Amino acid sequence: MTGQQDVAFGTAVSGRSVDLPGADSLVGLLINTVPVRANTTATTTVADLLGQLQRFHNDTVEHDHVALGDIHRLTGHDQLFDTLLVYENYPIDPSAFMNVADLAVSDFTSREYNHYPLSVQAVPGNELELRVEFDVEVFTKARIEKLADRFRRVLEAMTADTREKP
């Protein structure tokens, strides 16, 4: 949608690598935001793109604990991306609290905020739920609705045939 073939976006990672010294004694989620780069051409297939993203992840996962500010400093860029894509992969099972004395959980909701103009959260379940958060000073609601509809169509096309172009 940017008209660029080489794009970057941010994604949230746990930042708690198994190999991180002392990781087993650290308390907290240790969530970090790291850049992801995707480069496509007119001949790139969905399978090519997904393979590229998987290789990038495999090549960088051991560095997920490096702070975004440090990544900016090391790359010489003040900003690497302005869009955040998050896959909420931590399990939320309210039934896990059912056998805890004096505790009753009737509902669970979560709300996260960040400073990026556009954030897309993918939430697993019986159906994939997408949440779009946006800065109203940057995007109109109508523009976001068009973007969400296009994203839905792209996801449907991607899952229909991975040999097709993204």
Side-chain angles (χ1 to χ4, degrees), residues 61-73:
V61 70
E62 65 190 60
H63 306 289
D64 280 353
H65 65 280
V66 177
L68 183 56
D70 291 339
I71 294 171
H72 286 153
R73 184 180 46 77

Side-chain angles (χ1 to χ4, degrees), residues 24-108:
D24 58 337
S25 63
L26 296 174
V27 177
L29 295 175
L30 301 178
I31 293 174
N32 194 17
T33 303
V34 296
V36 176
R37 183 177 179 186
N39 194 341
T40 62
T41 67
T43 61
T44 303
T45 64
V46 170
D48 294 338
L49 178 60
L50 294 176
Q52 177 190 137
L53 294 173
Q54 181 66 49
R55 285 188 301 279
F56 177 83
H57 173 75
N58 291 342
D59 292 345
T60 60
V61 70
E62 65 190 60
H63 306 289
D64 280 353
H65 65 280
V66 177
L68 183 56
D70 291 339
I71 294 171
H72 286 153
R73 184 180 46 77
L74 292 167
T75 61
H77 295 281
D78 292 334
Q79 182 178 351
L80 295 169
F81 52 86
D82 60 4
T83 303
L84 187 64
L85 178 62
V86 178
Y87 180 73
E88 300 288 356
N89 63 348
Y90 53 86
I92 302 296
D93 183 7
S95 67
F97 302 110
M98 294 182 76
N99 295 326
V100 178
D102 299 324
L103 178 65
V105 177
S106 60
D107 191 17
F108 177 86

